[in-house]
């Protein structure tokens, strides 16, 4: 399986708190059948280390941490490929950065390709979500939207999901939403996306080795049981694999 969304890199955000935790997460992921995981650290251009260091120095910092983690996994003989990524918070600060940098490149696209993992504040308005995604798409970026089922505006108005899907946004459901960890409405929204065939990817959004862990084996079983025998293959392998390889997801699952 391929896990396109995780906070496995230690000490970068609210994910893995230490190298030991990160290694344990990797061990669990690999044992549950994950072959490749994207280390999608939170990226907010308005605050924190990313703002302080600026994108170029932050990229160097991230790459150093990623290399150290890969080395540790090799040393501990854990078979898990870790690729680069960032869960980019779409806000005005992001567009200020893009304007100021006079370039269309976004740091930390998924595996260095044209796809980015985008997220919004949970109370984002419908208008800003659509505008933000359109502005990213205008720059030629292809978008995976992290956990649509967790945004208030979508939970209130499920029609937004169809317009995002029609606009070519790949909708990524969190495994925790399917387990009811983010409440009934998030569960029902995730369930709808899967039943309607508009969800493109399911990922762990893992933050630690215990509560929000990266194991996807039970999720795969659940997908196959409730959403069709090939659901896990498409949502946990084929589509995330295409995105890491830079082509589109399967829109007709
Ligand atoms: Fe996340």
């Amino acid at each position: 399986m391929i896990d396109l969304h995780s906070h496995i890199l230690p000490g970068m955000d609210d994910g893995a708190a230490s190298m030991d935790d990160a290694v344990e997460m990797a061990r669990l992921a690999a044992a549950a059948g994950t072959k490749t995981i994207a280390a999608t650290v939170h990226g907010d251009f308005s605050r924190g280390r990313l703002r302080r260091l600026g994108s170029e120095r932050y990229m160097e910092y991230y790459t150093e941490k990623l290399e150290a983690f890969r080395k540790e996994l090799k040393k501990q003989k854990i078979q898990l490929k870790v690729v680069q990524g960032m869960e980019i918070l779409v806000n005005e600060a992001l567009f200020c950065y893009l304007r100021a940098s006079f370039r269309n490149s976004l740091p930390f696209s998924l595996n260095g390709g044209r796809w980015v993992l985008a997220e919004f504040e949970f109370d984002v308005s419908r208008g800003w979500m659509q505008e933000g995604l359109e502005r990213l798409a205008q720059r030629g970026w292809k978008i995976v939207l992290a956990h649509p089922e967790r945004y208030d505006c979508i939970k209130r108005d499920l029609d937004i999901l169809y317009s995002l899907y029609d606009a070519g946004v790949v909708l990524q459901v969190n495994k925790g939403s399917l387990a009811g960890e983010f409440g009934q409405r998030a569960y029902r929204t995730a369930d709808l996306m899967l039943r309607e065939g508009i969800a493109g990817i399911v990922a762990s959004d893992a933050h630690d080795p215990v509560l929000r862990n990266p194991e996807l084996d039970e999720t795969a079983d659940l997908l196959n049981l409730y959403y069709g025998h090939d659901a896990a293959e498409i949502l946990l392998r084929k589509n995330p694999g295409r995105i890491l390889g830079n082509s589109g997801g399967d829109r007709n699952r």
Side-chain angles (χ1 to χ4, degrees):
M1 289 181 281
I2 295 166
D3 191 353
L4 213 76
H5 182 171
S6 83
H7 301 268
I8 195 168
L9 215 51
M12 298 293 287
D13 54 15
D14 59 344
S18 63
M19 182 62 89
D20 283 352
D21 274 8
V23 168
E24 183 57 16
M25 287 167 77
R27 204 186 303 278
L28 291 169
T34 298
K35 305 276 183 228
T36 303
I37 194 164
T40 51
V41 295
H42 283 293
D44 181 351
F45 283 82
S46 76
R47 61 176 173 244
R49 197 179 277 131
L50 181 53
R51 184 192 159 102
R52 218 169 47 244
L53 295 179
S55 67
E56 265 154 50
R57 278 179 59 214
Y58 185 87
M59 278 174 85
E60 286 167 19
Y61 180 79
Y62 174 98
T63 306
E64 257 171 48
K65 296 282 180 188
L66 182 62
E67 285 307 324
F69 184 45
R70 285 172 172 160
K71 223 183 223 174
E72 189 62 28
L73 295 185
K74 201 171 173 192
K75 197 171 115 193
Q76 303 218 22
K77 298 191 170 45
I78 297 171
Q79 302 278 326
L80 181 69
K81 185 178 175 192
V82 189
V83 299
Q84 77 163 47
M86 178 183 271
E87 186 177 13
I88 299 169
L89 183 67
V90 182
N91 55 17
E92 243 346 299
L94 168 65
F95 293 108
C96 282
Y97 157 75
L98 289 171
R99 266 196 304 275
S101 64
F102 293 106
R103 61 186 166 185
N104 285 328
S105 72
L106 261 186
F108 303 106
S109 60
L110 291 161
N111 202 21
R114 297 300 292 173
W115 287 88
V116 291
L117 179 67
E119 76 162 341
F120 291 85
E121 302 286 1
F122 291 125
D123 61 353
V124 62
S125 69
R126 175 186 186 147
W128 172 244
M129 178 180 275
Q130 287 184 326
E131 187 188 329
L133 293 173
E134 271 164 28
R135 282 162 74 178
L136 278 183
Q138 279 162 10
R139 291 171 178 270
W141 292 93
K142 292 171 172 288
I143 299 151
V144 179
L145 177 62
H147 42 63
E149 71 278 6
R150 298 195 65 196
Y151 302 111
D152 297 340
C153 63
I154 289 180
K155 285 189 277 189
R156 278 197 304 269
D157 180 2
L158 297 173
D159 282 349
I160 302 173
L161 292 168
Y162 299 94
S163 46
L164 294 173
Y165 176 80
D166 288 341
V169 174
V170 170
L171 306 175
Q172 178 258 301
V173 167
N174 272 13
K175 76 159 188 162
S177 302
L178 293 173
E181 290 167 16
F182 304 112
Q184 262 302 308
R185 290 183 85 169
Y187 166 75
R188 285 210 301 269
T189 309
D191 176 60
L192 175 99
M193 282 192 274
L194 290 162
R195 276 191 287 111
E196 292 280 304
I198 56 174
I201 287 173
V202 175
S204 74
D205 196 4
H207 279 65
D208 61 65
V210 183
L211 294 174
R212 293 181 71 184
N213 67 62
E215 292 164 296
L216 288 174
D217 49 351
E218 284 180 13
T219 306
D221 291 344
L222 186 146
L223 289 171
N224 287 340
L225 188 62
Y226 293 109
Y227 304 104
H229 67 280
D230 58 348
E233 176 62 26
I234 292 168
L235 296 160
L236 293 170
R237 288 192 190 89
K238 203 169 144 197
N239 284 351
R242 285 176 172 184
I243 281 169
L244 293 189
N246 281 335
S247 56
D250 188 340
R251 291 166 58 80
N252 301 304
R253 60 159 296 264

Coordinates of all heavy atoms in Angstrom, one line a residue, residues 87-141:
E87 N 1.8 19.0 3.8 CA 0.4 19.3 3.9 C 0.3 20.8 3.9 O 0.5 21.4 5.0 CB -0.2 18.6 5.1 CG -1.8 18.8 5.1 CD -2.4 18.0 6.3 OE1 -1.7 17.6 7.3 OE2 -3.6 17.9 6.3
I88 N 0.1 21.4 2.8 CA 0.2 22.8 2.7 C -1.1 23.5 3.0 O -2.1 23.2 2.5 CB 0.6 23.2 1.2 CG1 2.0 22.6 0.8 CG2 0.6 24.7 1.0 CD1 2.3 22.7 -0.6
L89 N -1.0 24.4 4.0 CA -2.2 25.1 4.5 C -2.4 26.2 3.5 O -1.6 27.1 3.2 CB -2.0 25.7 5.9 CG -3.1 26.4 6.5 CD1 -4.3 25.5 6.8 CD2 -2.7 27.1 7.8
V90 N -3.6 26.2 2.8 CA -3.9 27.2 1.8 C -4.4 28.5 2.5 O -5.5 28.4 3.1 CB -4.9 26.7 0.8 CG1 -5.2 27.7 -0.3 CG2 -4.4 25.4 0.2
N91 N -3.6 29.5 2.5 CA -4.1 30.8 3.1 C -3.4 31.9 2.3 O -2.7 31.7 1.4 CB -3.7 30.8 4.6 CG -2.2 30.6 4.9 OD1 -1.4 30.7 4.0 ND2 -1.9 30.2 6.1
E92 N -3.7 33.2 2.7 CA -3.2 34.3 2.0 C -1.6 34.3 2.0 O -1.0 34.6 1.0 CB -3.7 35.6 2.6 CG -4.5 36.5 1.8 CD -4.6 36.3 0.3 OE1 -3.6 36.4 -0.4 OE2 -5.7 36.1 -0.2
A93 N -1.1 33.8 3.1 CA 0.4 33.8 3.3 C 1.0 32.9 2.2 O 2.1 33.2 1.7 CB 0.8 33.3 4.7
L94 N 0.4 31.8 1.8 CA 0.9 31.0 0.8 C 0.9 31.7 -0.5 O 1.9 31.7 -1.2 CB 0.0 29.7 0.7 CG 0.2 28.9 -0.6 CD1 1.6 28.2 -0.6 CD2 -0.9 27.8 -0.7
F95 N -0.1 32.5 -0.9 CA -0.1 33.2 -2.1 C 0.8 34.4 -2.1 O 1.4 34.7 -3.1 CB -1.6 33.6 -2.5 CG -2.4 32.4 -2.8 CD1 -3.4 31.9 -1.9 CD2 -2.2 31.6 -3.9 CE1 -4.1 30.8 -2.2 CE2 -2.9 30.5 -4.2 CZ -3.9 30.0 -3.3
C96 N 1.0 35.0 -0.9 CA 2.0 36.0 -0.8 C 3.4 35.5 -1.2 O 4.2 36.0 -1.9 CB 2.1 36.6 0.6 SG 0.8 37.7 0.9
Y97 N 3.7 34.3 -0.6 CA 4.9 33.6 -0.9 C 5.1 33.4 -2.4 O 6.1 33.7 -3.0 CB 5.1 32.3 -0.1 CG 6.0 31.4 -0.7 CD1 7.4 31.6 -0.6 CD2 5.6 30.3 -1.5 CE1 8.3 30.7 -1.2 CE2 6.5 29.4 -2.1 CZ 7.9 29.7 -2.0 OH 8.7 28.9 -2.6
L98 N 4.0 32.8 -3.0 CA 4.1 32.5 -4.4 C 4.3 33.8 -5.2 O 5.1 33.7 -6.2 CB 2.9 31.7 -4.8 CG 2.8 30.3 -4.3 CD1 1.4 29.7 -4.6 CD2 3.9 29.4 -4.8
R99 N 3.6 34.9 -4.8 CA 3.8 36.1 -5.6 C 5.2 36.7 -5.4 O 5.8 37.0 -6.4 CB 2.8 37.2 -5.1 CG 1.5 37.2 -5.8 CD 0.7 38.5 -5.5 NE 0.5 38.7 -4.1 CZ -0.6 38.2 -3.4 NH1 -1.5 37.4 -4.1 NH2 -0.7 38.4 -2.2
A100 N 5.7 36.6 -4.2 CA 7.0 37.2 -3.9 C 8.1 36.4 -4.6 O 9.1 37.0 -4.9 CB 7.2 37.3 -2.4
S101 N 7.9 35.2 -4.7 CA 9.0 34.3 -5.2 C 9.0 34.4 -6.8 O 10.0 33.8 -7.3 CB 8.8 32.9 -4.7 OG 7.7 32.4 -5.2
F102 N 8.0 35.0 -7.4 CA 8.0 35.1 -8.9 C 8.2 33.7 -9.5 O 8.9 33.6 -10.5 CB 9.1 36.0 -9.4 CG 8.8 37.4 -9.0 CD1 9.6 38.0 -8.0 CD2 7.7 38.1 -9.6 CE1 9.3 39.3 -7.7 CE2 7.5 39.4 -9.2 CZ 8.3 40.0 -8.3
R103 N 7.6 32.7 -9.0 CA 7.8 31.4 -9.6 C 6.5 30.6 -9.3 O 5.8 30.9 -8.4 CB 9.0 30.7 -9.1 CG 8.9 30.5 -7.6 CD 10.2 29.9 -7.1 NE 10.2 30.0 -5.6 CZ 11.2 29.7 -4.8 NH1 12.3 29.3 -5.4 NH2 11.1 29.9 -3.6
N104 N 6.4 29.6 -10.1 CA 5.2 28.7 -9.9 C 5.6 27.5 -9.1 O 4.8 26.6 -8.9 CB 4.7 28.3 -11.2 CG 3.9 29.4 -11.9 OD1 3.3 30.2 -11.2 ND2 4.0 29.5 -13.2
S105 N 6.8 27.4 -8.7 CA 7.2 26.2 -7.9 C 6.7 26.2 -6.5 O 6.9 27.3 -5.8 CB 8.7 26.0 -8.0 OG 9.3 26.9 -7.2
L106 N 6.2 25.2 -6.0 CA 5.9 25.0 -4.6 C 6.8 24.1 -4.0 O 7.0 23.0 -4.6 CB 4.4 24.5 -4.5 CG 3.3 25.4 -4.2 CD1 2.1 24.6 -4.0 CD2 3.6 26.3 -3.0
P107 N 7.4 24.4 -2.9 CA 8.3 23.4 -2.3 C 7.4 22.2 -1.8 O 6.3 22.4 -1.5 CB 8.9 24.1 -1.1 CG 8.0 25.3 -0.8 CD 7.3 25.6 -2.1
F108 N 8.1 21.1 -1.8 CA 7.5 19.9 -1.1 C 6.2 19.4 -1.8 O 5.2 19.1 -1.1 CB 7.2 20.1 0.3 CG 8.4 20.5 1.1 CD1 8.6 21.8 1.5 CD2 9.4 19.6 1.3 CE1 9.7 22.2 2.2 CE2 10.5 20.0 2.0 CZ 10.7 21.3 2.4
S109 N 6.2 19.4 -3.1 CA 5.1 18.7 -3.8 C 5.3 17.2 -3.4 O 6.3 16.8 -3.0 CB 5.1 19.0 -5.2 OG 6.4 18.5 -5.8
L110 N 4.3 16.5 -3.7 CA 4.3 15.0 -3.4 C 5.4 14.3 -4.3 O 5.2 14.4 -5.5 CB 3.0 14.4 -3.5 CG 1.9 14.9 -2.5 CD1 0.5 14.6 -3.0 CD2 2.2 14.2 -1.2
N111 N 6.4 13.8 -3.7 CA 7.4 13.1 -4.3 C 8.1 14.0 -5.4 O 8.6 13.5 -6.4 CB 6.9 11.8 -5.0 CG 8.0 10.8 -5.2 OD1 9.1 10.8 -4.6 ND2 7.8 9.9 -6.1
G112 N 8.0 15.3 -5.2 CA 8.7 16.2 -6.1 C 8.0 16.4 -7.5 O 8.6 17.0 -8.4
G113 N 6.7 16.0 -7.6 CA 6.0 16.1 -8.9 C 5.1 17.3 -8.9 O 5.4 18.3 -8.3
R114 N 4.0 17.2 -9.7 CA 3.1 18.3 -9.9 C 1.9 18.3 -8.9 O 1.1 19.2 -8.9 CB 2.5 18.3 -11.3 CG 3.6 18.5 -12.4 CD 4.3 19.8 -12.3 NE 3.5 21.0 -12.6 CZ 4.0 22.2 -12.4 NH1 5.2 22.4 -12.0 NH2 3.2 23.3 -12.7
W115 N 1.8 17.2 -8.1 CA 0.7 17.1 -7.2 C 1.1 17.7 -5.8 O 2.2 17.5 -5.3 CB 0.3 15.7 -7.0 CG -0.4 15.1 -8.2 CD1 0.1 14.5 -9.3 CD2 -1.8 15.1 -8.4 NE1 -0.8 14.1 -10.1 CE2 -2.1 14.5 -9.6 CE3 -2.9 15.6 -7.6 CZ2 -3.3 14.3 -10.1 CZ3 -4.2 15.4 -8.2 CH2 -4.4 14.8 -9.4
V116 N 0.2 18.4 -5.2 CA 0.4 18.9 -3.8 C -0.8 18.5 -3.0 O -1.9 18.3 -3.4 CB 0.5 20.5 -3.7 CG1 1.8 20.9 -4.4 CG2 -0.7 21.1 -4.3
L117 N -0.4 18.2 -1.7 CA -1.5 17.9 -0.7 C -1.8 19.2 0.0 O -1.0 19.9 0.6 CB -0.9 16.9 0.3 CG -1.9 16.5 1.5 CD1 -3.0 15.7 0.9 CD2 -1.1 15.7 2.5
A118 N -3.1 19.6 -0.2 CA -3.5 20.9 0.3 C -4.5 20.7 1.5 O -5.3 19.8 1.5 CB -4.2 21.7 -0.8
E119 N -4.4 21.6 2.5 CA -5.5 21.6 3.5 C -5.9 23.0 3.8 O -5.2 24.0 3.4 CB -5.0 20.9 4.8 CG -4.0 21.7 5.6 CD -3.9 21.2 7.1 OE1 -4.8 20.4 7.5 OE2 -2.9 21.5 7.7
F120 N -7.0 23.2 4.5 CA -7.5 24.5 4.9 C -7.7 24.4 6.4 O -7.8 23.3 7.0 CB -8.8 24.8 4.2 CG -8.7 25.0 2.7 CD1 -8.6 24.0 1.8 CD2 -8.6 26.3 2.3 CE1 -8.5 24.2 0.5 CE2 -8.4 26.6 0.9 CZ -8.4 25.5 0.0
E121 N -8.0 25.6 7.0 CA -8.5 25.6 8.4 C -9.8 24.9 8.4 O -10.6 25.0 7.4 CB -8.6 27.1 8.9 CG -7.3 27.9 8.8 CD -6.3 27.5 9.9 OE1 -6.6 26.6 10.7 OE2 -5.3 28.2 10.0
F122 N -10.2 24.3 9.5 CA -11.4 23.5 9.5 C -12.7 24.4 9.3 O -13.7 23.9 8.9 CB -11.5 22.6 10.8 CG -10.5 21.5 10.8 CD1 -9.6 21.4 11.8 CD2 -10.4 20.6 9.7 CE1 -8.7 20.3 11.8 CE2 -9.5 19.6 9.7 CZ -8.6 19.5 10.8
D123 N -12.6 25.6 9.7 CA -13.8 26.5 9.6 C -13.7 27.4 8.3 O -14.4 28.4 8.3 CB -13.9 27.4 10.8 CG -12.7 28.3 11.0 OD1 -11.7 28.1 10.3 OD2 -12.7 29.1 11.9
V124 N -12.9 26.9 7.3 CA -12.8 27.7 6.1 C -14.2 27.9 5.5 O -15.1 27.0 5.6 CB -11.9 26.9 5.1 CG1 -12.4 25.5 4.8 CG2 -11.7 27.7 3.8
S125 N -14.4 29.0 4.8 CA -15.7 29.2 4.1 C -15.6 28.5 2.7 O -14.5 28.2 2.2 CB -15.9 30.7 3.8 OG -14.9 31.2 2.9
R126 N -16.8 28.2 2.2 CA -16.9 27.6 0.9 C -16.2 28.4 -0.1 O -15.4 27.9 -1.0 CB -18.3 27.4 0.6 CG -18.5 26.8 -0.8 CD -20.0 26.8 -1.3 NE -20.0 26.1 -2.6 CZ -21.0 25.3 -3.0 NH1 -22.1 25.2 -2.2 NH2 -21.0 24.7 -4.2
G127 N -16.4 29.7 -0.1 CA -15.8 30.7 -1.1 C -14.3 30.6 -1.1 O -13.7 30.5 -2.1
W128 N -13.7 30.7 0.1 CA -12.2 30.7 0.2 C -11.7 29.4 -0.3 O -10.6 29.3 -0.9 CB -11.8 31.1 1.6 CG -10.3 31.0 1.7 CD1 -9.6 30.2 2.5 CD2 -9.3 31.7 0.9 NE1 -8.3 30.3 2.3 CE2 -8.0 31.2 1.3 CE3 -9.3 32.6 -0.1 CZ2 -6.8 31.6 0.8 CZ3 -8.1 33.1 -0.7 CH2 -6.9 32.6 -0.2
M129 N -12.3 28.3 0.1 CA -11.8 27.0 -0.3 C -11.8 26.9 -1.8 O -10.8 26.5 -2.4 CB -12.7 25.9 0.3 CG -12.2 24.5 -0.2 SD -13.2 23.2 0.5 CE -12.5 22.9 2.1
Q130 N -12.9 27.3 -2.5 CA -12.9 27.2 -3.9 C -11.9 28.2 -4.6 O -11.2 27.8 -5.5 CB -14.4 27.4 -4.4 CG -15.2 26.2 -4.1 CD -16.6 26.2 -4.6 OE1 -17.2 27.2 -4.7 NE2 -17.1 25.0 -4.9
E131 N -11.9 29.4 -4.0 CA -10.9 30.3 -4.6 C -9.5 29.9 -4.4 O -8.7 29.9 -5.4 CB -11.1 31.7 -3.9 CG -10.3 32.8 -4.6 CD -10.3 34.1 -3.8 OE1 -11.3 34.4 -3.1 OE2 -9.3 34.8 -3.8
G132 N -9.2 29.4 -3.2 CA -7.8 28.9 -3.0 C -7.4 27.8 -3.9 O -6.3 27.8 -4.5
L133 N -8.3 26.8 -4.1 CA -8.0 25.7 -4.9 C -7.9 26.1 -6.4 O -7.0 25.6 -7.1 CB -9.1 24.6 -4.8 CG -9.1 23.9 -3.4 CD1 -10.3 23.0 -3.3 CD2 -7.8 23.2 -3.1
E134 N -8.7 27.0 -6.8 CA -8.7 27.6 -8.2 C -7.3 28.3 -8.4 O -6.7 28.1 -9.5 CB -9.8 28.5 -8.5 CG -11.0 27.9 -9.0 CD -12.3 28.8 -8.9 OE1 -12.1 30.0 -8.9 OE2 -13.4 28.2 -8.7
R135 N -6.9 29.1 -7.4 CA -5.7 29.8 -7.6 C -4.5 28.9 -7.7 O -3.5 29.1 -8.4 CB -5.5 30.8 -6.5 CG -6.4 32.1 -6.7 CD -6.6 32.9 -5.5 NE -5.4 33.7 -5.1 CZ -5.4 34.5 -4.0 NH1 -6.5 34.6 -3.3 NH2 -4.3 35.1 -3.7
L136 N -4.5 27.8 -6.9 CA -3.4 26.8 -7.0 C -3.4 26.1 -8.4 O -2.4 25.9 -9.0 CB -3.5 25.8 -5.9 CG -3.0 26.1 -4.6 CD1 -3.2 24.9 -3.6 CD2 -1.5 26.5 -4.6
A137 N -4.6 25.8 -8.8 CA -4.8 25.1 -10.1 C -4.3 26.0 -11.3 O -3.7 25.5 -12.2 CB -6.2 24.6 -10.3
Q138 N -4.6 27.3 -11.1 CA -4.2 28.2 -12.2 C -2.7 28.2 -12.4 O -2.2 28.5 -13.4 CB -4.7 29.6 -11.9 CG -6.1 29.9 -12.2 CD -6.7 31.1 -11.5 OE1 -5.9 31.9 -10.9 NE2 -8.0 31.3 -11.6
R139 N -2.0 27.9 -11.3 CA -0.5 27.9 -11.4 C 0.0 26.5 -11.9 O 1.2 26.2 -11.9 CB 0.1 28.1 -10.0 CG -0.1 29.5 -9.6 CD 0.3 29.7 -8.2 NE 0.1 31.1 -7.8 CZ 1.0 32.1 -8.0 NH1 2.2 31.7 -8.4 NH2 0.8 33.3 -7.6
G140 N -0.9 25.7 -12.3 CA -0.5 24.4 -12.9 C -0.4 23.3 -11.9 O 0.1 22.2 -12.2
W141 N -0.8 23.6 -10.7 CA -0.7 22.5 -9.7 C -1.9 21.6 -9.6 O -3.0 22.1 -9.8 CB -0.4 23.1 -8.3 CG 0.9 23.8 -8.2 CD1 1.2 25.1 -8.5 CD2 2.1 23.2 -8.0 NE1 2.5 25.3 -8.5 CE2 3.1 24.1 -8.2 CE3 2.5 21.8 -7.7 CZ2 4.5 23.8 -8.1 CZ3 3.9 21.6 -7.6 CH2 4.8 22.6 -7.7

